[in-house]
Amino acid sequence: MRNKSLTQIFLWPTLIAIVSFTGLLTALLVDDARELISDAAVALPILSAAYYYWIKPGASAQKS
Amino acid sequence: MTQQSIRRWAWTHKWSSLVCTVFMLLLCLTGLPLIFSHEIHDWLGDHIVTPDIQHNGTMASMDSLVATAKKQNPGFVPLYMYRDDDEPLQWTISMAKTTDATSGFKYVVMDARTAKVLGEPPAEEGFMYIVFKLHVDLFAGLPGMLFLGLMGFLLVIAIISGVVLYAPFMRKLAFGEIRHQRGEKLKRLDIHNMLGIVTLSWFLVVGATGVINAWSDLLVKYWQFDQMSQMIAPYKNLPPPTQFASLQQSLEVAQKAEPAMQLGFIAFPGTAYTSQHHYGIFMRGDSPLTKRLFKPVLIDAQNATLTDSRPLPWYLVALLVSQPLHFGDYGGMSLKWIWAVLDVLSIIVLWTGLKLWWKKRRQYLPVASTRPILHKAIS
């Protein structure tokens, strides 16, 4: 792989950080069904970690 | 980034983490049961249930509740009166031998309708108490709290330096890539980097709000010095009252002063949240955010008249808003589970970080030619 630029390196981390942080704050402000959305935002780090640890390696191994 | 600045950031990351890691592991491990402390108390049978009775709807007077608590524990004085969100028909009065006691507390749980004692949950004992004390102050009081606050500050530095170092390590790797087949060392490094970067926001928020919480006792002391002293200035040289006015009447005066708010908790004269001369009636709002923001209404405890009421200063607002963000208790059960999983992920980040350092440290010793991981990443 060629050297990645800083933007490429930090694109996904920044997005995940912003979404999960927004989720943390909105969960503080809402108390109804919208809570599901904020919970999902807070859970995004868990989902992405699970994806990259278990699902992605299997998928790319099958491809090659 | 130049080689030299990378080396500086690596040094910062290594030492800020190394110093705090053991304590952070302890905080993450003790924090895990604390997320579910409510559920665990229920499960341990500490929870006191409200009896199902025929009742016409009028609540017992605050004065009879206080009288009942005093009768239950002769020689004890009331400190605070509060209730659980989940048990609106209960009032709890905490008591001790003196208003400035730091241990020897009793908690009298009463029926808000009948002023009957429902029970006294165990105080200062049991598994959850030990876990709580280890998490908050290591059984060392204020110095322990401040020490853990300092460790939390180092954690924040470790997280920030970790983010800076993320760049040189990821130059040739796709986001989230874990090199499963390239040996334990690289796999561990990739897991550390991936988990560290995705949990960044959460770990930073929980770490930073934990640091703010470590200052809570001092913030309250400062508030007393800063605002309380102004509010109670006219009482400065008066002797403490010997006769106390009706608490029920005082509460009604406070309610009239803040008609749009509802009672949060009451601080009895002499405790840290009020003066020797006042009932500190803390009113709160009703929305998810404002129900955490209290407004103190000071009522003269001798004649039940309003002395002063002013909104909390910014630093106590910051403290009160930061608390739920640390505890994770502001959503439903699902948020608690998310909190728990993120906590476990943080433990993995700490553990893999510690192990990376440990293995590298051994590697340095015998063969000088063995290149440390960092060089591999930046070459």
Side-chain angles (χ1 to χ4, degrees), chain B residues 342-373:
Chain B
L342 287 166
D343 187 292
V344 171
L345 294 185
S346 305
I347 292 175
I348 299 175
V349 174
L350 292 168
W351 182 248
T352 50
L354 194 63
K355 218 156 169 205
L356 282 167
W357 164 76
W358 181 255
K359 296 275 172 171
K360 211 168 73 174
R361 185 196 61 92
R362 298 233 319 257
Q363 208 176 58
Y364 272 124
L365 300 175
V367 206
S369 62
T370 317
R371 298 168 84 197
I373 296 172

PDB file of all heavy atoms in Angstrom, chain B residues 342-373:
ATOM      1  N   LEU B 342     -18.009  -1.030  26.206  1.00  0.00           N
ATOM      2  CA  LEU B 342     -16.951  -0.047  25.953  1.00  0.00           C
ATOM      3  C   LEU B 342     -15.906  -0.097  27.065  1.00  0.00           C
ATOM      4  O   LEU B 342     -14.703   0.056  26.814  1.00  0.00           O
ATOM      5  CB  LEU B 342     -17.553   1.360  25.835  1.00  0.00           C
ATOM      6  CG  LEU B 342     -18.325   1.621  24.538  1.00  0.00           C
ATOM      7  CD1 LEU B 342     -19.155   2.882  24.642  1.00  0.00           C
ATOM      8  CD2 LEU B 342     -17.353   1.721  23.364  1.00  0.00           C
ATOM      9  N   ASP B 343     -16.362  -0.327  28.283  1.00  0.00           N
ATOM     10  CA  ASP B 343     -15.441  -0.464  29.414  1.00  0.00           C
ATOM     11  C   ASP B 343     -14.509  -1.662  29.190  1.00  0.00           C
ATOM     12  O   ASP B 343     -13.297  -1.562  29.396  1.00  0.00           O
ATOM     13  CB  ASP B 343     -16.273  -0.647  30.692  1.00  0.00           C
ATOM     14  CG  ASP B 343     -15.419  -0.641  31.958  1.00  0.00           C
ATOM     15  OD1 ASP B 343     -14.631  -1.582  32.162  1.00  0.00           O
ATOM     16  OD2 ASP B 343     -15.541   0.316  32.727  1.00  0.00           O
ATOM     17  N   VAL B 344     -15.083  -2.789  28.735  1.00  0.00           N
ATOM     18  CA  VAL B 344     -14.253  -3.978  28.474  1.00  0.00           C
ATOM     19  C   VAL B 344     -13.263  -3.686  27.335  1.00  0.00           C
ATOM     20  O   VAL B 344     -12.084  -4.051  27.412  1.00  0.00           O
ATOM     21  CB  VAL B 344     -15.136  -5.197  28.141  1.00  0.00           C
ATOM     22  CG1 VAL B 344     -14.292  -6.363  27.659  1.00  0.00           C
ATOM     23  CG2 VAL B 344     -15.959  -5.607  29.360  1.00  0.00           C
ATOM     24  N   LEU B 345     -13.725  -2.988  26.288  1.00  0.00           N
ATOM     25  CA  LEU B 345     -12.817  -2.640  25.189  1.00  0.00           C
ATOM     26  C   LEU B 345     -11.662  -1.773  25.707  1.00  0.00           C
ATOM     27  O   LEU B 345     -10.517  -1.935  25.291  1.00  0.00           O
ATOM     28  CB  LEU B 345     -13.568  -1.909  24.065  1.00  0.00           C
ATOM     29  CG  LEU B 345     -14.621  -2.705  23.290  1.00  0.00           C
ATOM     30  CD1 LEU B 345     -15.179  -1.880  22.139  1.00  0.00           C
ATOM     31  CD2 LEU B 345     -14.045  -4.015  22.766  1.00  0.00           C
ATOM     32  N   SER B 346     -11.967  -0.864  26.618  1.00  0.00           N
ATOM     33  CA  SER B 346     -10.914  -0.024  27.192  1.00  0.00           C
ATOM     34  C   SER B 346      -9.920  -0.860  27.989  1.00  0.00           C
ATOM     35  O   SER B 346      -8.718  -0.590  27.974  1.00  0.00           O
ATOM     36  CB  SER B 346     -11.509   1.051  28.097  1.00  0.00           C
ATOM     37  OG  SER B 346     -12.451   1.793  27.390  1.00  0.00           O
ATOM     38  N   ILE B 347     -10.443  -1.867  28.698  1.00  0.00           N
ATOM     39  CA  ILE B 347      -9.534  -2.755  29.441  1.00  0.00           C
ATOM     40  C   ILE B 347      -8.588  -3.447  28.450  1.00  0.00           C
ATOM     41  O   ILE B 347      -7.386  -3.553  28.699  1.00  0.00           O
ATOM     42  CB  ILE B 347     -10.334  -3.804  30.252  1.00  0.00           C
ATOM     43  CG1 ILE B 347     -11.111  -3.110  31.376  1.00  0.00           C
ATOM     44  CG2 ILE B 347      -9.407  -4.874  30.824  1.00  0.00           C
ATOM     45  CD1 ILE B 347     -12.037  -4.013  32.163  1.00  0.00           C
ATOM     46  N   ILE B 348      -9.123  -3.860  27.284  1.00  0.00           N
ATOM     47  CA  ILE B 348      -8.276  -4.513  26.275  1.00  0.00           C
ATOM     48  C   ILE B 348      -7.219  -3.530  25.757  1.00  0.00           C
ATOM     49  O   ILE B 348      -6.054  -3.894  25.586  1.00  0.00           O
ATOM     50  CB  ILE B 348      -9.131  -5.053  25.103  1.00  0.00           C
ATOM     51  CG1 ILE B 348     -10.133  -6.089  25.632  1.00  0.00           C
ATOM     52  CG2 ILE B 348      -8.244  -5.684  24.030  1.00  0.00           C
ATOM     53  CD1 ILE B 348     -11.106  -6.595  24.585  1.00  0.00           C
ATOM     54  N   VAL B 349      -7.610  -2.267  25.548  1.00  0.00           N
ATOM     55  CA  VAL B 349      -6.634  -1.268  25.092  1.00  0.00           C
ATOM     56  C   VAL B 349      -5.518  -1.116  26.128  1.00  0.00           C
ATOM     57  O   VAL B 349      -4.326  -1.124  25.798  1.00  0.00           O
ATOM     58  CB  VAL B 349      -7.316   0.097  24.837  1.00  0.00           C
ATOM     59  CG1 VAL B 349      -6.270   1.162  24.517  1.00  0.00           C
ATOM     60  CG2 VAL B 349      -8.321  -0.005  23.703  1.00  0.00           C
ATOM     61  N   LEU B 350      -5.899  -1.012  27.396  1.00  0.00           N
ATOM     62  CA  LEU B 350      -4.902  -0.856  28.461  1.00  0.00           C
ATOM     63  C   LEU B 350      -3.997  -2.089  28.524  1.00  0.00           C
ATOM     64  O   LEU B 350      -2.777  -1.985  28.618  1.00  0.00           O
ATOM     65  CB  LEU B 350      -5.599  -0.674  29.815  1.00  0.00           C
ATOM     66  CG  LEU B 350      -6.381   0.625  30.033  1.00  0.00           C
ATOM     67  CD1 LEU B 350      -7.235   0.523  31.286  1.00  0.00           C
ATOM     68  CD2 LEU B 350      -5.429   1.808  30.144  1.00  0.00           C
ATOM     69  N   TRP B 351      -4.627  -3.259  28.453  1.00  0.00           N
ATOM     70  CA  TRP B 351      -3.885  -4.500  28.614  1.00  0.00           C
ATOM     71  C   TRP B 351      -2.923  -4.734  27.442  1.00  0.00           C
ATOM     72  O   TRP B 351      -1.746  -5.063  27.649  1.00  0.00           O
ATOM     73  CB  TRP B 351      -4.862  -5.675  28.767  1.00  0.00           C
ATOM     74  CG  TRP B 351      -4.159  -6.965  28.985  1.00  0.00           C
ATOM     75  CD1 TRP B 351      -4.101  -8.017  28.120  1.00  0.00           C
ATOM     76  CD2 TRP B 351      -3.386  -7.336  30.129  1.00  0.00           C
ATOM     77  NE1 TRP B 351      -3.345  -9.027  28.655  1.00  0.00           N
ATOM     78  CE2 TRP B 351      -2.884  -8.633  29.887  1.00  0.00           C
ATOM     79  CE3 TRP B 351      -3.059  -6.692  31.327  1.00  0.00           C
ATOM     80  CZ2 TRP B 351      -2.080  -9.304  30.810  1.00  0.00           C
ATOM     81  CZ3 TRP B 351      -2.257  -7.363  32.246  1.00  0.00           C
ATOM     82  CH2 TRP B 351      -1.787  -8.645  31.987  1.00  0.00           C
ATOM     83  N   THR B 352      -3.421  -4.532  26.206  1.00  0.00           N
ATOM     84  CA  THR B 352      -2.536  -4.722  25.054  1.00  0.00           C
ATOM     85  C   THR B 352      -1.416  -3.682  25.063  1.00  0.00           C
ATOM     86  O   THR B 352      -0.278  -3.990  24.720  1.00  0.00           O
ATOM     87  CB  THR B 352      -3.306  -4.612  23.722  1.00  0.00           C
ATOM     88  OG1 THR B 352      -4.092  -3.417  23.742  1.00  0.00           O
ATOM     89  CG2 THR B 352      -4.213  -5.801  23.480  1.00  0.00           C
ATOM     90  N   GLY B 353      -1.725  -2.482  25.522  1.00  0.00           N
ATOM     91  CA  GLY B 353      -0.701  -1.436  25.605  1.00  0.00           C
ATOM     92  C   GLY B 353       0.391  -1.833  26.572  1.00  0.00           C
ATOM     93  O   GLY B 353       1.588  -1.720  26.287  1.00  0.00           O
ATOM     94  N   LEU B 354      -0.041  -2.345  27.726  1.00  0.00           N
ATOM     95  CA  LEU B 354       0.910  -2.762  28.757  1.00  0.00           C
ATOM     96  C   LEU B 354       1.775  -3.905  28.235  1.00  0.00           C
ATOM     97  O   LEU B 354       2.995  -3.916  28.416  1.00  0.00           O
ATOM     98  CB  LEU B 354       0.119  -3.210  29.994  1.00  0.00           C
ATOM     99  CG  LEU B 354       0.889  -3.382  31.296  1.00  0.00           C
ATOM    100  CD1 LEU B 354       1.476  -2.059  31.739  1.00  0.00           C
ATOM    101  CD2 LEU B 354      -0.032  -3.929  32.383  1.00  0.00           C
ATOM    102  N   LYS B 355       1.149  -4.840  27.526  1.00  0.00           N
ATOM    103  CA  LYS B 355       1.865  -6.004  27.031  1.00  0.00           C
ATOM    104  C   LYS B 355       2.841  -5.618  25.916  1.00  0.00           C
ATOM    105  O   LYS B 355       3.951  -6.147  25.839  1.00  0.00           O
ATOM    106  CB  LYS B 355       0.860  -7.037  26.511  1.00  0.00           C
ATOM    107  CG  LYS B 355       1.308  -8.425  26.853  1.00  0.00           C
ATOM    108  CD  LYS B 355       0.239  -9.445  26.926  1.00  0.00           C
ATOM    109  CE  LYS B 355       0.927 -10.804  27.008  1.00  0.00           C
ATOM    110  NZ  LYS B 355       0.077 -11.883  26.514  1.00  0.00           N
ATOM    111  N   LEU B 356       2.428  -4.672  25.074  1.00  0.00           N
ATOM    112  CA  LEU B 356       3.323  -4.189  24.013  1.00  0.00           C
ATOM    113  C   LEU B 356       4.592  -3.615  24.623  1.00  0.00           C
ATOM    114  O   LEU B 356       5.709  -3.876  24.173  1.00  0.00           O
ATOM    115  CB  LEU B 356       2.624  -3.107  23.174  1.00  0.00           C
ATOM    116  CG  LEU B 356       1.607  -3.571  22.138  1.00  0.00           C
ATOM    117  CD1 LEU B 356       0.795  -2.401  21.646  1.00  0.00           C
ATOM    118  CD2 LEU B 356       2.319  -4.266  20.978  1.00  0.00           C
ATOM    119  N   TRP B 357       4.405  -2.827  25.677  1.00  0.00           N
ATOM    120  CA  TRP B 357       5.564  -2.222  26.342  1.00  0.00           C
ATOM    121  C   TRP B 357       6.428  -3.303  26.989  1.00  0.00           C
ATOM    122  O   TRP B 357       7.650  -3.294  26.877  1.00  0.00           O
ATOM    123  CB  TRP B 357       5.089  -1.231  27.409  1.00  0.00           C
ATOM    124  CG  TRP B 357       6.161  -0.873  28.378  1.00  0.00           C
ATOM    125  CD1 TRP B 357       7.200  -0.019  28.155  1.00  0.00           C
ATOM    126  CD2 TRP B 357       6.339  -1.398  29.694  1.00  0.00           C
ATOM    127  NE1 TRP B 357       8.014   0.033  29.259  1.00  0.00           N
ATOM    128  CE2 TRP B 357       7.506  -0.810  30.219  1.00  0.00           C
ATOM    129  CE3 TRP B 357       5.619  -2.299  30.488  1.00  0.00           C
ATOM    130  CZ2 TRP B 357       7.974  -1.098  31.500  1.00  0.00           C
ATOM    131  CZ3 TRP B 357       6.091  -2.581  31.757  1.00  0.00           C
ATOM    132  CH2 TRP B 357       7.254  -1.991  32.246  1.00  0.00           C
ATOM    133  N   TRP B 358       5.785  -4.268  27.633  1.00  0.00           N
ATOM    134  CA  TRP B 358       6.513  -5.300  28.369  1.00  0.00           C
ATOM    135  C   TRP B 358       7.382  -6.129  27.426  1.00  0.00           C
ATOM    136  O   TRP B 358       8.551  -6.378  27.696  1.00  0.00           O
ATOM    137  CB  TRP B 358       5.507  -6.184  29.114  1.00  0.00           C
ATOM    138  CG  TRP B 358       6.138  -7.263  29.915  1.00  0.00           C
ATOM    139  CD1 TRP B 358       6.179  -8.589  29.617  1.00  0.00           C
ATOM    140  CD2 TRP B 358       6.834  -7.104  31.160  1.00  0.00           C
ATOM    141  NE1 TRP B 358       6.840  -9.270  30.591  1.00  0.00           N
ATOM    142  CE2 TRP B 358       7.261  -8.391  31.553  1.00  0.00           C
ATOM    143  CE3 TRP B 358       7.147  -6.008  31.967  1.00  0.00           C
ATOM    144  CZ2 TRP B 358       7.981  -8.614  32.728  1.00  0.00           C
ATOM    145  CZ3 TRP B 358       7.857  -6.229  33.137  1.00  0.00           C
ATOM    146  CH2 TRP B 358       8.264  -7.508  33.503  1.00  0.00           C
ATOM    147  N   LYS B 359       6.808  -6.532  26.284  1.00  0.00           N
ATOM    148  CA  LYS B 359       7.549  -7.359  25.330  1.00  0.00           C
ATOM    149  C   LYS B 359       8.697  -6.557  24.704  1.00  0.00           C
ATOM    150  O   LYS B 359       9.788  -7.064  24.502  1.00  0.00           O
ATOM    151  CB  LYS B 359       6.622  -7.845  24.213  1.00  0.00           C
ATOM    152  CG  LYS B 359       5.530  -8.744  24.698  1.00  0.00           C
ATOM    153  CD  LYS B 359       6.003 -10.178  24.785  1.00  0.00           C
ATOM    154  CE  LYS B 359       4.916 -10.995  25.461  1.00  0.00           C
ATOM    155  NZ  LYS B 359       5.111 -12.402  25.457  1.00  0.00           N
ATOM    156  N   LYS B 360       8.414  -5.300  24.399  1.00  0.00           N
ATOM    157  CA  LYS B 360       9.417  -4.472  23.762  1.00  0.00           C
ATOM    158  C   LYS B 360      10.584  -4.211  24.715  1.00  0.00           C
ATOM    159  O   LYS B 360      11.740  -4.218  24.323  1.00  0.00           O
ATOM    160  CB  LYS B 360       8.772  -3.131  23.349  1.00  0.00           C
ATOM    161  CG  LYS B 360       9.382  -2.523  22.134  1.00  0.00           C
ATOM    162  CD  LYS B 360       8.541  -1.398  21.632  1.00  0.00           C
ATOM    163  CE  LYS B 360       8.677  -0.197  22.539  1.00  0.00           C
ATOM    164  NZ  LYS B 360       7.989   0.978  22.005  1.00  0.00           N
ATOM    165  N   ARG B 361      10.201  -4.036  25.981  1.00  0.00           N
ATOM    166  CA  ARG B 361      11.201  -3.778  26.998  1.00  0.00           C
ATOM    167  C   ARG B 361      12.197  -4.936  27.071  1.00  0.00           C
ATOM    168  O   ARG B 361      13.408  -4.754  27.126  1.00  0.00           O
ATOM    169  CB  ARG B 361      10.495  -3.611  28.342  1.00  0.00           C
ATOM    170  CG  ARG B 361      11.350  -3.216  29.510  1.00  0.00           C
ATOM    171  CD  ARG B 361      10.599  -3.479  30.788  1.00  0.00           C
ATOM    172  NE  ARG B 361      10.295  -4.903  30.909  1.00  0.00           N
ATOM    173  CZ  ARG B 361      11.073  -5.761  31.527  1.00  0.00           C
ATOM    174  NH1 ARG B 361      12.186  -5.369  32.090  1.00  0.00           N
ATOM    175  NH2 ARG B 361      10.758  -7.042  31.587  1.00  0.00           N
ATOM    176  N   ARG B 362      11.678  -6.171  27.016  1.00  0.00           N
ATOM    177  CA  ARG B 362      12.548  -7.341  27.075  1.00  0.00           C
ATOM    178  C   ARG B 362      13.380  -7.437  25.800  1.00  0.00           C
ATOM    179  O   ARG B 362      14.520  -7.886  25.811  1.00  0.00           O
ATOM    180  CB  ARG B 362      11.710  -8.607  27.245  1.00  0.00           C
ATOM    181  CG  ARG B 362      10.923  -8.607  28.527  1.00  0.00           C
ATOM    182  CD  ARG B 362      11.132  -9.848  29.372  1.00  0.00           C
ATOM    183  NE  ARG B 362      11.172 -11.090  28.604  1.00  0.00           N
ATOM    184  CZ  ARG B 362      10.159 -11.935  28.554  1.00  0.00           C
ATOM    185  NH1 ARG B 362       9.040 -11.662  29.178  1.00  0.00           N
ATOM    186  NH2 ARG B 362      10.284 -13.058  27.877  1.00  0.00           N
ATOM    187  N   GLN B 363      12.757  -6.986  24.699  1.00  0.00           N
ATOM    188  CA  GLN B 363      13.442  -7.088  23.425  1.00  0.00           C
ATOM    189  C   GLN B 363      14.683  -6.193  23.379  1.00  0.00           C
ATOM    190  O   GLN B 363      15.667  -6.533  22.768  1.00  0.00           O
ATOM    191  CB  GLN B 363      12.461  -6.634  22.350  1.00  0.00           C
ATOM    192  CG  GLN B 363      12.682  -7.244  21.014  1.00  0.00           C
ATOM    193  CD  GLN B 363      11.585  -6.777  20.079  1.00  0.00           C
ATOM    194  OE1 GLN B 363      11.419  -5.585  19.875  1.00  0.00           O
ATOM    195  NE2 GLN B 363      10.842  -7.708  19.527  1.00  0.00           N
ATOM    196  N   TYR B 364      14.573  -5.045  24.037  1.00  0.00           N
ATOM    197  CA  TYR B 364      15.686  -4.100  24.022  1.00  0.00           C
ATOM    198  C   TYR B 364      16.935  -4.692  24.664  1.00  0.00           C
ATOM    199  O   TYR B 364      18.035  -4.397  24.254  1.00  0.00           O
ATOM    200  CB  TYR B 364      15.314  -2.835  24.818  1.00  0.00           C
ATOM    201  CG  TYR B 364      14.624  -1.790  23.992  1.00  0.00           C
ATOM    202  CD1 TYR B 364      13.375  -1.297  24.367  1.00  0.00           C
ATOM    203  CD2 TYR B 364      15.221  -1.293  22.846  1.00  0.00           C
ATOM    204  CE1 TYR B 364      12.739  -0.334  23.628  1.00  0.00           C
ATOM    205  CE2 TYR B 364      14.584  -0.323  22.089  1.00  0.00           C
ATOM    206  CZ  TYR B 364      13.348   0.153  22.481  1.00  0.00           C
ATOM    207  OH  TYR B 364      12.729   1.101  21.748  1.00  0.00           O
ATOM    208  N   LEU B 365      16.726  -5.510  25.691  1.00  0.00           N
ATOM    209  CA  LEU B 365      17.848  -5.906  26.514  1.00  0.00           C
ATOM    210  C   LEU B 365      18.937  -6.716  25.795  1.00  0.00           C
ATOM    211  O   LEU B 365      20.025  -6.205  25.608  1.00  0.00           O
ATOM    212  CB  LEU B 365      17.359  -6.636  27.778  1.00  0.00           C
ATOM    213  CG  LEU B 365      16.451  -5.782  28.667  1.00  0.00           C
ATOM    214  CD1 LEU B 365      15.913  -6.590  29.833  1.00  0.00           C
ATOM    215  CD2 LEU B 365      17.176  -4.551  29.167  1.00  0.00           C
ATOM    216  N   PRO B 366      18.628  -7.934  25.285  1.00  0.00           N
ATOM    217  CA  PRO B 366      19.751  -8.731  24.808  1.00  0.00           C
ATOM    218  C   PRO B 366      20.335  -8.269  23.466  1.00  0.00           C
ATOM    219  O   PRO B 366      21.533  -8.067  23.362  1.00  0.00           O
ATOM    220  CB  PRO B 366      19.171 -10.140  24.706  1.00  0.00           C
ATOM    221  CG  PRO B 366      17.684  -9.977  24.658  1.00  0.00           C
ATOM    222  CD  PRO B 366      17.350  -8.629  25.142  1.00  0.00           C
ATOM    223  N   VAL B 367      19.522  -8.094  22.459  1.00  0.00           N
ATOM    224  CA  VAL B 367      20.048  -7.809  21.128  1.00  0.00           C
ATOM    225  C   VAL B 367      19.787  -6.363  20.737  1.00  0.00           C
ATOM    226  O   VAL B 367      18.643  -5.969  20.544  1.00  0.00           O
ATOM    227  CB  VAL B 367      19.385  -8.718  20.063  1.00  0.00           C
ATOM    228  CG1 VAL B 367      20.310  -8.892  18.868  1.00  0.00           C
ATOM    229  CG2 VAL B 367      18.982 -10.044  20.659  1.00  0.00           C
ATOM    230  N   ALA B 368      20.826  -5.610  20.627  1.00  0.00           N
ATOM    231  CA  ALA B 368      20.653  -4.196  20.289  1.00  0.00           C
ATOM    232  C   ALA B 368      20.139  -4.034  18.867  1.00  0.00           C
ATOM    233  O   ALA B 368      19.520  -3.032  18.526  1.00  0.00           O
ATOM    234  CB  ALA B 368      21.973  -3.454  20.454  1.00  0.00           C
ATOM    235  N   SER B 369      20.364  -5.064  18.047  1.00  0.00           N
ATOM    236  CA  SER B 369      19.980  -4.921  16.641  1.00  0.00           C
ATOM    237  C   SER B 369      18.487  -5.160  16.410  1.00  0.00           C
ATOM    238  O   SER B 369      17.969  -4.830  15.346  1.00  0.00           O
ATOM    239  CB  SER B 369      20.778  -5.902  15.787  1.00  0.00           C
ATOM    240  OG  SER B 369      20.467  -7.212  16.209  1.00  0.00           O
ATOM    241  N   THR B 370      17.806  -5.758  17.399  1.00  0.00           N
ATOM    242  CA  THR B 370      16.374  -5.985  17.216  1.00  0.00           C
ATOM    243  C   THR B 370      15.678  -4.647  17.169  1.00  0.00           C
ATOM    244  O   THR B 370      15.763  -3.856  18.088  1.00  0.00           O
ATOM    245  CB  THR B 370      15.800  -6.808  18.391  1.00  0.00           C
ATOM    246  OG1 THR B 370      16.706  -7.845  18.685  1.00  0.00           O
ATOM    247  CG2 THR B 370      14.443  -7.363  18.040  1.00  0.00           C
ATOM    248  N   ARG B 371      14.986  -4.433  16.083  1.00  0.00           N
ATOM    249  CA  ARG B 371      14.364  -3.113  15.936  1.00  0.00           C
ATOM    250  C   ARG B 371      13.017  -3.067  16.641  1.00  0.00           C
ATOM    251  O   ARG B 371      12.192  -3.944  16.440  1.00  0.00           O
ATOM    252  CB  ARG B 371      14.194  -2.793  14.448  1.00  0.00           C
ATOM    253  CG  ARG B 371      15.515  -2.735  13.732  1.00  0.00           C
ATOM    254  CD  ARG B 371      15.284  -2.722  12.247  1.00  0.00           C
ATOM    255  NE  ARG B 371      15.019  -1.356  11.793  1.00  0.00           N
ATOM    256  CZ  ARG B 371      14.475  -1.090  10.616  1.00  0.00           C
ATOM    257  NH1 ARG B 371      14.111  -2.071   9.835  1.00  0.00           N
ATOM    258  NH2 ARG B 371      14.290   0.153  10.248  1.00  0.00           N
ATOM    259  N   PRO B 372      12.825  -2.062  17.423  1.00  0.00           N
ATOM    260  CA  PRO B 372      11.534  -1.962  18.119  1.00  0.00           C
ATOM    261  C   PRO B 372      10.404  -1.683  17.128  1.00  0.00           C
ATOM    262  O   PRO B 372      10.634  -1.238  16.002  1.00  0.00           O
ATOM    263  CB  PRO B 372      11.715  -0.792  19.079  1.00  0.00           C
ATOM    264  CG  PRO B 372      12.839  -0.008  18.524  1.00  0.00           C
ATOM    265  CD  PRO B 372      13.712  -0.963  17.789  1.00  0.00           C
ATOM    266  N   ILE B 373       9.201  -1.969  17.577  1.00  0.00           N
ATOM    267  CA  ILE B 373       8.028  -1.867  16.709  1.00  0.00           C
ATOM    268  C   ILE B 373       7.886  -0.480  16.077  1.00  0.00           C
ATOM    269  O   ILE B 373       7.556  -0.339  14.918  1.00  0.00           O
ATOM    270  CB  ILE B 373       6.758  -2.195  17.516  1.00  0.00           C
ATOM    271  CG1 ILE B 373       6.821  -3.638  17.976  1.00  0.00           C
ATOM    272  CG2 ILE B 373       5.508  -1.968  16.687  1.00  0.00           C
ATOM    273  CD1 ILE B 373       5.718  -4.000  18.938  1.00  0.00           C
TER     274      ILE B 373
END
